[in-house]
Amino acid sequence: MSLRHAVLGLLAEAPASGYDLMKLFNASLSNVWPATQSQVYGELTKLTTAGLVEVAAHGPRGRKEYAITDDGMAELHHWLTEVEPSGPQRHDGLLRVFFLGVVTPLEAQTYLLHQAERAARTRATLEHIEETAEWDEEMISVYGRIALEYGLRMSATQEEWARWAADEVTSAKAKKASELARAQHKEGRENPEE
């Protein structure tokens, strides 16, 4: 449902064509809620059918400009004020951390340092956006900057955590836990009838 609301939110600021919406997605929302061109155009069709947006203008080569309707604005308002955000997202990178005891401490440390570098690259990308974006007084700019700050802080925290965890997996306690897990696995393979 969030793609629907992302499109409604962008149209709440100003009417736009599907092409314009894709440019806005790529410039502002792609780090939060990525969408493909076919997804955006498909959502525009659904929103039009539902009466939440309407074709406000036709241009050359079949270009359509969409505008949010009063019903669309009411739906966006309802979603913003009454619908709880979805729960925690699945994170396969963090799920792997639970099982790093089955690899060597060096492999675990390498994995975590790779995660730290990924977070650092993400933060560098977001810092570049912060420095080069034209932050004006429009809604997407003002609130987009607030969302960007979340990404900057989260990526910094993720990098810091991953570097800390890379040190932890080489601790005596982590090594002992890994050795115990491997020994239990080996024992289970040697005595399958027990």
Side-chain angles (χ1 to χ4, degrees):
M1 291 301 283
S2 291
L3 176 59
R4 163 176 285 218
H5 297 100
V7 171
L8 289 173
L10 290 173
L11 291 174
E13 186 165 20
S17 67
Y19 176 77
D20 295 333
L21 287 171
M22 279 311 303
K23 283 178 31 181
L24 285 168
F25 257 96
N26 292 333
S28 61
L29 301 181
S30 63
N31 289 318
V32 176
W33 199 268
T36 65
Q37 182 175 347
S38 63
Q39 290 172 320
V40 169
Y41 279 93
E43 196 59 49
L44 283 169
T45 300
K46 292 175 191 172
L47 290 168
T48 303
T49 301
L52 301 177
V53 302
E54 62 189 2
V55 177
H58 290 275
R61 296 183 303 271
R63 183 181 192 273
K64 296 177 184 175
E65 188 171 85
Y66 296 87
I68 192 168
T69 63
D70 289 343
D71 287 346
M73 194 62 102
E75 170 60 26
L76 181 61
H77 184 269
H78 168 75
W79 179 72
L80 286 168
T81 60
E82 297 178 34
V83 177
E84 282 293 319
S86 60
Q89 302 298 313
R90 293 178 178 166
H91 191 307
D92 71 329
L94 196 53
L95 178 62
R96 294 169 197 224
V97 172
F98 279 93
F99 308 114
L100 286 178
V102 303
V103 300
T104 68
L106 179 59
E107 289 171 320
Q109 186 177 49
T110 300
Y111 170 78
L112 290 161
L113 290 174
H114 175 72
Q115 297 309 305
E117 291 304 316
R118 262 182 69 187
R121 285 192 305 272
T122 297
R123 191 175 72 253
T125 299
L126 296 175
E127 287 170 346
H128 178 73
I129 292 169
E130 181 181 38
E131 294 165 4
T132 59
E134 296 180 24
W135 302 107
D136 56 30
E137 302 297 315
E138 293 182 7
M139 179 187 75
I140 293 296
S141 239
V142 172
Y143 292 96
R145 175 62 190 85
I146 292 169
L148 179 70
E149 185 64 27
Y150 173 85
L152 288 166
R153 291 178 187 208
M154 286 300 293
S155 57
T157 299
Q158 288 168 342
E159 180 184 4
E160 179 186 344
W161 170 83
R163 293 193 187 286
W164 169 83
D167 287 340
E168 285 295 304
V169 297
T170 60
S171 71
K173 189 175 186 177
K175 286 179 183 178
K176 185 174 181 177
S178 293
E179 290 167 6
L180 179 61
R182 285 193 295 273
Q184 288 174 335
H185 174 71
K186 184 178 179 182
E187 183 180 310
R189 291 184 71 198
E190 291 173 353
N191 304 314
E193 298 296 319
E194 296 181 5

